[in-house]
Amino acid sequence: ISSSDNHSKDRDMFANINRKPGLQIWTISKMRMAPVPTKTFGNFFEGDCYIILNVSTSIDIHYWIGKSSSQDEQGSAALYVTQLDEYLGGSPVQYREVQGFESPKFRSYFKNGLIYKKGGLASGFNHVDTNVYNIVRLLHVKGRKHVSAAEVEVSWNSFNSGDVFILDLGKTIIQWNGPECNRREKLKAVLLAQDIRDRERGGRADVVVVEGAREKDTPEVVQMMADVLGKRPSQLKKPVSDDKHDQEQNNSVRLYHVYDNTGNVVIQEVAVQPLTQDLLRSADCYILDNCGSNVMVWKGKKASKDERREAMKRALNYIKTKNYPSSTSVEVMSEGGESAMFKHLFKNWREKGQITGLGNTHTVGKIAKVEQVKFDVMELHAHPDMAAKHHLVDDGSGEVKVWRIENLELAEVQPNMHGQFYGGDCYLVLYTYRVSNREQYILYMWQGRHATRDEITACAYQAVTVDNMYNGAPVQVRVVMGKEPRHFLAIFKGKLIIFEGGTGRAGAVSPSTTASLFQVRGTSDLNTKATEVPARASCLNSNDVFLLRTPQKCYLWYGKGCSGDERMMATEMSDRLFRQYKEVVMEGQEPAEFWIALGGKAPYASDKRLEREDPLHSPRLFECSNQTGRFRITEVYNFDQSDLDEEDVMLLDTWEEIFLWVGKFANETETKESWNSAREYLKMHPAGRDPDAPIIFVKQGNEPLTFTGWFNAWDPFKWSVGLRSEMCRTLFLNAGSLNKGVDATDFGGYSAPGGPASTFPMYRTHGGMMSPKSTTPTSPFRGTYSPAGSSGMSVDSKLLINVPASELPEGVDPSQREDYLSDEDFENLLGVSRSEFLGMPQWRQIELKKKAGLF
């Protein structure tokens, strides 16, 4: 067959590609692309190569290399990827995947895990056939977050004490849990076993579990294993760690220019982090080395065809030259089709056609100008994605409480002083609002630029105290002076004033100055603030309004670039800030006294500032872990709510803000260190991020709209059904006969409904929602008593009042002692009925509980 005939067939095959969102997979058979049936997705023969096309908001092409595949197959796969990329217009991002070292993005397509199968199509093996039961195979399951299962010899010699193994006997699938494996590994293996049952056996197979440490509990299943594997040896091999050792990495991100020089390819270093977008020229190709962890190739639109086609080959040559492992991840992308990770490595990445500012705007007190939108509170709740995009949970109409740190303690600030912040102080701001008749809280920790280290420490300490008063419900936000998030501005209704220094404490004397200058920015009550800047002409900006106060009078200075809304908000702000008469001064018409007060005329930023478009970057989710002895973050691709692991701290980077989400069962050390970890993340980010960007601390079950809006189809009841995670729900409600041989304690004290030890946590009604009682990771709550309000038995009040938590009756939740009182005791102790109590704000409930000795 001629090469032109082959090329024609390839074009015909590409013409059948589905461009709708979804996953398509081909394998290389006889050097040709052969489609893989959907039911076998996630199964990969070690002797083959595969091409994976994922169409979503972007188009990604992966080619997967089996460890036993031939060089010819690898070459064919690479060639087809290049042709497929050209057919799709050169916009896809290409990824090279090596068996066992797949990228998180690739693994995200197969949520239940990957299965590596021995052999390949060339060896006569067939892909999985549904409803075939004459199967005997052993799968070795590895991994904690992303699992993979490799076919191993069907023998006890393949087992070890720390991993999970699946013995697939066709009609029976046996999951054997090593004595030293952990709960998460067991749960992930369950999902994989169920996936095999459902997709490969059409749901007609039994999944059973054997605990390696208690095989005597399941004698029938153990005998079934012995019939296939022989007698179990007394000692099994020791486990091998799941954690792969990192290669020696570079200290920084480096950009290299790749070009031809009289027939020779030259790779020349261009720059190190932080990188700027103007380094990339459309006529060339570049290699970006991401600290040695992965290599990216960028192809300019005007680069020659040969340069573009050779991009992957040059990346592999670069890896070989650097002596990086052959499994090092490679991404290839074209100009205009850059991946989110690539753009995150550049400072201030801008898309083509995005409006950019002109000139060199002065940075003192600089605030990004934001699009003004008229918000309807209900509309924000109906469209969480809009709330997330605009960083607003509501319109700021909730209740506000403000405390200042004085002598390391909390001193409440009177309402008439709300919105006035001094650079020499630290403040706590508690914002309370209601969603679905339930109170929500945001606790802002505002740190003045000139506050002492002790005051900043005390601010964090007192935040914990306030957080505990509200049972850990508040979302905590660290705010550095001058970097106030948008919602913080909204709650002060256009009256937020930030003084550079001084203190708001009673009796404090402010230093006398001849003049003070305030920069006012904002177009409505939702986004306006006044910031004190040095009283110098160089601090002016043509795009804003400034308020200059002298001993004689006040001047309201309108820059040529400011809008009518900005002038109106500045006028209202000036009336609040200074009672005396204000003289309006237009830029270019200033009287001599104005310049004298500023120390004389001087150049200032006068270029017209244009609005910037948001978002500049796609949100990214990371899993945070210290399991290897040092803090590490691993990106979660194609993330949704189910990727928020209850045993982890997760970091959501929306670029303008950083969210730290803490699962209920997160490692205590990770939780305590999460603030430092987020600051370290910003500090070490290769794009030179602002280290003072707002950091928002969110606890599971108390997520604000500005967090949930970044997730598609957020389910507010996901964690309120009494089971510890989505995996648990799958495990115990849909596992068929899975509860056979499972001890409930292995999964946090829960088993299948009706099975042994099926003890569920107690529930209480609050605000019309059902939610489990709070628990602690070290002491899972297992109910003996039921709340009196749900027809359960009440507890003698003497056993509840002023009794240490450790001495409470078994099953009583220390944080909700009032639930176990009889109705009569409840009213006598708290002075209100149970229904009246539930209708009160939480702070009032806490006060009554403290007074009664129930807190």
Side-chain angles (χ1 to χ4, degrees):
I1 302 174
S2 68
S3 60
S4 61
D5 290 338
N6 280 336
H7 188 65
S8 176
K9 288 181 180 179
D10 290 338
R11 290 193 62 81
D12 291 342
M13 180 191 62
F14 290 154
N16 294 325
I17 287 174
N18 188 349
R19 294 175 183 256
K20 294 180 179 178
L23 202 63
Q24 298 167 75
I25 302 179
W26 298 265
T27 188
I28 304 300
S29 175
K30 298 179 181 178
M31 306 305 155
R32 307 281 309 192
M33 286 175 63
V36 172
T38 305
K39 65 187 178 185
T40 66
F41 283 8
N43 290 271
F44 293 90
F45 281 99
E46 295 179 342
D48 288 340
C49 290
Y50 293 79
I51 294 171
I52 296 89
L53 173 65
N54 183 58
V55 179
S56 58
T57 52
S58 60
I59 302 176
D60 299 296
I61 304 174
H62 303 252
Y63 76 97
W64 185 89
I65 300 171
K67 67 179 183 181
S68 304
S69 61
S70 68
Q71 289 294 323
D72 287 344
E73 286 177 314
Q74 294 177 25
S76 294
L79 178 61
Y80 280 121
V81 165
T82 301
Q83 292 177 355
L84 181 58
D85 177 77
E86 291 178 353
Y87 178 78
L88 294 171
S91 61
V93 179
Q94 302 172 35
Y95 301 83
R96 175 177 174 269
E97 309 285 355
V98 177
Q99 179 182 339
F101 298 90
E102 294 87 356
S103 66
K105 186 179 186 72
F106 180 84
R107 288 180 174 271
S108 73
Y109 304 147
F110 311 99
K111 294 286 187 182
N112 292 330
L114 304 173
I115 298 178
Y116 304 137
K117 301 172 67 64
K118 292 288 187 185
L121 292 181
S123 64
F125 284 77
N126 292 317
H127 279 281
V128 177
D129 290 324
T130 305
N131 303 333
V132 172
Y133 299 104
N134 57 336
I135 292 172
V136 178
R137 63 173 176 171
L138 182 65
L139 298 175
H140 180 190
V141 184
K142 293 280 288 181
R144 298 166 58 85
K145 189 73 175 176
H146 301 290
V147 301
S148 57
E151 283 191 12
V152 292
E153 180 190 357
V154 185
S155 162
W156 281 111
N157 293 330
S158 300
F159 283 69
N160 69 61
S161 60
D163 288 331
V164 178
F165 291 80
I166 294 176
L167 180 60
D168 186 357
L169 303 178
K171 289 190 176 182
T172 304
I173 301 169
I174 302 171
Q175 176 179 327
W176 182 90
N177 297 327
E180 298 174 41
C181 70
N182 61 48
R183 190 185 71 93
R184 184 188 292 182
E185 290 171 323
K186 296 177 186 180
L187 292 169
K188 283 288 190 178
V190 161
L191 295 179
L192 182 61
Q194 288 182 335
D195 193 50
I196 294 171
R197 177 196 66 191
D198 296 339
R199 288 203 294 149
E200 298 186 17
R201 309 295 139 73
R204 292 184 287 274
D206 289 331
V207 177
V208 292
V209 176
V210 174
E211 290 298 329
R214 297 187 305 281
E215 292 181 351
K216 293 179 181 178
D217 296 345
T218 51
E220 294 178 7
V221 184
V222 170
Q223 183 58 52
M224 196 183 301
M225 294 180 69
D227 292 342
V228 177
L229 301 169
K231 185 179 179 182
R232 181 192 190 285
S234 57
Q235 284 291 110
L236 295 175
K237 288 185 288 189
K238 289 291 181 184
V240 178
S241 172
D242 288 337
D243 294 316
K244 299 182 179 71
H245 294 291
D246 292 335
Q247 63 201 55
E248 192 65 34
Q249 295 188 344
N250 298 325
N251 293 324
S252 59
V253 174
R254 295 174 182 272
L255 183 69
Y256 297 87
H257 180 203
V258 183
Y259 61 95
D260 287 314
N261 184 12
T262 62
N264 296 318
V265 177
V266 178
I267 300 178
Q268 182 180 19
E269 184 174 315
V270 175
V272 296
Q273 69 184 49
L275 304 177
T276 54
Q277 195 175 355
D278 58 358
L279 295 168
L280 302 172
R281 295 196 298 249
S282 293
D284 295 315
C285 291
Y286 297 84
I287 287 177
L288 191 151
D289 187 341
N290 187 11
C291 304
S293 61
N294 70 319
V295 171
M296 305 177 182
V297 183
W298 185 87
K299 303 180 294 184
K301 287 184 176 179
K302 297 179 183 177
S304 69
K305 195 169 186 179
D306 287 342
E307 282 183 311
R308 295 170 61 83
R309 283 192 164 183
E310 294 288 308
M312 181 67 77
K313 183 178 178 180
R314 288 177 179 173
L316 297 178
N317 288 337
Y318 174 82
I319 287 172
K320 192 176 294 184
T321 302
K322 286 285 189 177
N323 291 320
Y324 290 163
S326 59
S327 57
T328 301
S329 172
V330 178
E331 295 179 27
V332 177
M333 65 206 71
S334 295
E335 181 179 357
E338 296 84 0
S339 67
M341 178 180 282
F342 184 85
K343 289 186 280 192
H344 261 249
L345 298 175
F346 286 77
K347 193 174 182 68
N348 299 328
W349 183 275
R350 294 187 180 275
E351 303 295 347
K352 184 180 179 183
Q354 181 176 318
I355 302 172
T356 59
L358 303 173
N360 189 18
T361 304
H362 205 281
T363 58
V364 175
K366 184 178 179 182
I367 307 165
K369 188 171 184 177
V370 298
E371 179 187 1
Q372 175 52 27
V373 179
K374 298 296 183 185
F375 284 106
D376 181 322
V377 179
M378 296 309 297
E379 190 176 354
L380 285 176
H381 294 302
H383 301 284
D385 55 328
M386 189 172 79
K389 178 182 177 182
H390 294 286
H391 310 278
L392 292 170
V393 297
D394 67 359
D395 59 359
S397 59
E399 180 186 340
V400 181
K401 264 191 167 184
V402 182
W403 296 273
R404 184 171 41 251
I405 303 298
E406 294 185 12
N407 300 319
L408 309 186
E409 298 293 336
L410 290 180
E412 188 165 354
V413 176
Q414 294 304 309
N416 66 320
M417 296 297 289
H418 284 186
Q420 297 189 30
F421 292 83
Y422 292 83
D425 290 330
C426 287
Y427 298 83
L428 289 182
V429 179
L430 180 68
Y431 181 75
T432 306
Y433 63 107
R434 298 186 74 86
V435 177
S436 301
N437 205 32
R438 179 187 174 197
E439 289 191 328
Q440 307 272 17
Y441 308 94
I442 303 176
L443 181 61
Y444 293 99
M445 295 166 281
W446 191 91
Q447 302 172 0
R449 188 177 291 121
H450 306 293
T452 65
R453 178 54 51 190
D454 286 346
E455 286 173 325
I456 292 173
T457 303
C459 184
Y461 175 79
Q462 294 295 349
V464 174
T465 302
V466 175
D467 183 74
N468 289 336
M469 286 174 58
Y470 293 86
N471 292 331
V475 171
Q476 298 179 40
V477 187
R478 167 183 169 266
V479 181
V480 175
M481 176 178 168
K483 306 296 173 65
E484 293 76 18
R486 299 186 196 179
H487 185 257
F488 189 85
L489 306 184
I491 65 179
F492 292 106
K493 312 291 191 304
K495 299 173 182 177
L496 178 61
I497 303 166
I498 298 172
F499 297 91
E500 174 60 27
T503 176
R505 301 177 192 184
V509 179
S510 300
S512 58
T513 55
T514 55
S516 51
L517 182 65
F518 294 83
Q519 182 181 35
V520 185
R521 278 188 171 169
T523 56
S524 76
D525 288 349
L526 290 175
N527 61 10
T528 298
K529 73 173 178 179
T531 307
E532 186 175 4
V533 297
R536 295 193 294 267
S538 59
C539 292
L540 295 174
N541 187 319
S542 289
N543 304 292
D544 295 314
V545 180
F546 285 79
L547 188 62
L548 174 64
R549 184 187 190 187
T550 70
Q552 290 76 35
K553 65 168 66 173
C554 288
Y555 297 94
L556 198 56
W557 184 85
Y558 293 151
K560 291 178 180 177
C562 67
S563 68
D565 286 341
E566 288 175 313
R567 294 179 186 185
M568 181 184 71
M569 292 308 302
T571 302
E572 291 181 10
M573 178 73 77
S574 68
D575 290 339
R576 173 177 172 80
L577 194 55
F578 303 121
R579 300 291 182 188
Q580 63 207 89
Y581 169 75
K582 269 77 67 177
E583 180 181 334
V584 173
V585 175
M586 306 299 293
E587 182 178 4
Q589 301 175 20
E590 301 87 355
E593 293 81 6
F594 179 87
W595 295 118
I596 292 171
L598 292 175
K601 269 191 173 184
Y604 57 86
S606 57
D607 294 300
K608 182 169 176 56
R609 182 190 65 210
L610 300 175
E611 292 185 8
R612 65 178 174 86
E613 293 181 348
D614 286 315
L616 294 176
H617 294 274
S618 302
R620 298 172 71 193
L621 182 70
F622 300 87
E623 176 192 17
C624 305
S625 170
N626 66 350
Q627 292 169 357
T628 59
R630 63 186 178 89
F631 177 74
R632 296 183 54 164
I633 62 172
T634 306
E635 183 158 10
V636 180
Y637 286 86
N638 301 319
F639 64 84
D640 56 32
Q641 188 180 357
S642 64
D643 290 308
L644 297 174
D645 196 310
E646 293 183 277
E647 294 185 345
D648 276 336
V649 173
M650 312 292 291
L651 187 150
L652 178 68
D653 182 1
T654 67
W655 199 263
E656 187 170 323
E657 296 172 334
I658 300 290
F659 288 91
L660 282 169
W661 181 91
V662 180
K664 287 181 179 176
F665 308 102
N667 176 297
E668 185 178 350
T669 303
E670 290 171 348
T671 303
K672 286 182 177 178
E673 292 298 318
S674 55
W675 286 106
N676 292 333
S677 300
R679 286 197 288 269
E680 186 73 6
Y681 169 81
L682 285 170
K683 179 182 175 183
M684 301 302 293
H685 199 286
R689 297 280 289 280
D690 182 351
D692 293 332
I695 298 173
I696 303 172
F697 192 80
V698 178
K699 293 180 183 176
Q700 180 183 340
N702 293 293
E703 298 86 358
L705 284 177
T706 46
F707 179 84
T708 62
W710 297 108
F711 294 79
N712 288 326
W714 180 272
D715 177 9
F717 303 103
K718 181 179 179 66
W719 295 300
S720 58
V721 296
L723 295 181
R724 284 176 60 172
S725 68
E726 176 65 29
M727 289 187 289
C728 284
R729 282 205 293 275
T730 304
L731 176 61
F732 298 113
L733 300 179
N734 302 318
S737 58
L738 185 62
N739 55 313
K740 298 175 183 177
V742 182
D743 187 327
T745 57
D746 292 326
F747 301 99
Y750 307 115
S751 183
S758 58
T759 305
F760 286 84
M762 297 188 295
Y763 297 88
R764 64 190 291 263
T765 304
H766 182 71
M769 296 172 60
M770 296 297 287
S771 60
K773 288 209 164 277
S774 58
T775 63
T776 60
T778 54
S779 180
F781 178 69
R782 298 183 183 178
T784 300
Y785 291 99
S786 295
S790 58
S791 72
M793 187 175 70
S794 62
V795 181
D796 187 338
S797 60
K798 294 178 182 177
L799 300 176
L800 301 172
I801 299 172
N802 296 322
V803 175
S806 59
E807 297 177 15
L808 288 170
E810 182 184 357
V812 171
D813 183 350
S815 67
Q816 306 292 347
R817 303 178 193 217
E818 71 279 7
D819 281 358
Y820 306 89
L821 294 169
S822 67
D823 288 340
E824 183 181 354
D825 285 345
F826 190 102
E827 290 196 29
N828 288 338
L829 285 168
L830 285 92
V832 294
S833 68
R834 200 182 296 273
S835 60
E836 288 174 323
F837 178 82
L838 291 174
M840 291 179 174
Q842 195 161 7
W843 64 267
R844 179 62 177 150
Q845 291 179 359
I846 292 169
E847 286 181 352
L848 290 178
K849 286 165 64 174
K850 282 184 175 180
K851 190 175 179 180
L854 295 169
F855 189 78

